[in-house]
Amino acid sequence: MTNEIVHIENLEKTYVSSSEKLTILKSLNLSVEEGSKAVIIGESGSGKSTLLNIIGGIDTATAGNVLCGKWDVTSLDEDSQAEYRAHFLGLVFQFHYLLKDFTALENVYLPAYMAGVPKKEAVERARKLLADVDLTARADHLPSELSGGERQRTAVARALINNPSLILADEPTGNLDPSNAQTIGEMLFSMAEKYNKTLILVTHDRHLAARGSVCYTIQDGHLVQADPSGMKS
């Protein structure tokens, strides 16, 4: 029997400016089963990142319900949002967002340490995750001393440090050359599999999209199932 970890119902997102009112998500529904790997593809500006940001509590919905695990994301106060992001979510973005004055190891263990994990345990956990992404030898290097691929691998390790139930990845290979993009994509899926995490991935990469257990696209504000083999390379 499968368990639903994300349930979105009649989601709407409208942006209002002085000159126009733009609705980019309309009556959008999504169900994601625990342990599955859901991929969202589609044109730039279609609302993929907005959807991911709403699930992540980074952006707010205009209407509708977003339930993730025990969390009603649309009604979280500021403290609950911080707890939700710290303990339920792992986030990987197109840009790594590593702290420039901290080593790879420090960047990975800090979120756990800040969430109350004893420093020794947080460091041990971080070293294990860095080994998983083949960065043991680079653990004491600053982001400026790492390649683009190494920075993104560090970001993948950091996303897993607090043992999240759900990983949200927004174009995680978008800034990388084809070789590094393939490495990071495969690593993201293999880490999600190894640690039995649910993954929701936004990507333009059809090869990466084909790795998903289900693939969607956003058309006219609605989510519809898609075939990644039909994407442009």
Side-chain angles (χ1 to χ4, degrees), residues 40-225:
I40 303 172
I41 59 177
E43 299 297 320
S44 295
S46 63
K48 305 184 302 297
S49 294
T50 299
L51 174 58
L52 222 60
N53 286 340
I54 290 172
I55 296 171
I58 297 164
D59 202 349
T60 55
T62 306
N65 298 305
V66 179
L67 303 174
C68 296
K70 68 175 185 177
W71 307 89
D72 180 353
V73 180
T74 46
S75 64
L76 296 178
D77 60 27
E78 200 170 313
D79 289 342
S80 298
Q81 273 189 345
E83 189 181 346
Y84 167 66
R85 286 198 288 265
H87 297 286
F88 187 81
L89 292 181
L91 301 169
V92 184
F93 299 99
Q94 186 169 345
F95 184 71
H96 54 77
Y97 292 113
L98 298 178
L99 301 170
K100 66 182 179 67
D101 296 323
F102 292 83
T103 64
L105 179 65
E106 290 166 336
N107 267 283
V108 175
Y109 87 67
L110 274 172
Y113 183 55
M114 291 172 68
V117 176
K119 184 176 178 181
K120 184 180 178 183
E121 183 184 337
V123 170
E124 286 174 358
R125 206 184 285 179
R127 286 196 186 281
K128 184 174 186 301
L129 287 166
L130 284 171
D132 284 337
V133 296
D134 199 24
L135 282 180
T136 296
R138 310 290 282 164
D140 296 323
H141 288 67
L142 295 171
S144 60
E145 300 169 317
L146 301 175
S147 70
E150 287 171 339
R151 290 176 202 147
Q152 202 65 331
R153 278 148 61 190
T154 304
V156 170
R158 180 185 57 190
L160 285 155
I161 191 66
N162 281 330
N163 194 27
S165 299
L166 175 64
I167 298 172
L168 302 179
D170 189 2
E171 294 283 5
T173 64
N175 278 336
L176 302 173
D177 62 79
S179 176
N180 269 314
Q182 184 177 351
T183 299
I184 295 297
E186 289 175 357
M187 190 168 283
L188 190 58
F189 275 95
S190 65
M191 291 283 276
E193 282 292 336
K194 178 175 182 175
Y195 291 102
N196 194 29
K197 304 303 179 189
T198 307
L199 173 67
I200 303 178
L201 167 74
V202 163
T203 185
H204 279 98
D205 184 332
R206 65 184 174 89
H207 300 292
L208 195 53
R211 295 282 303 270
S213 44
V214 61
C215 185
Y216 300 99
T217 188
I218 298 178
Q219 292 178 355
D220 193 30
H222 302 283
L223 203 65
V224 296
Q225 281 205 256

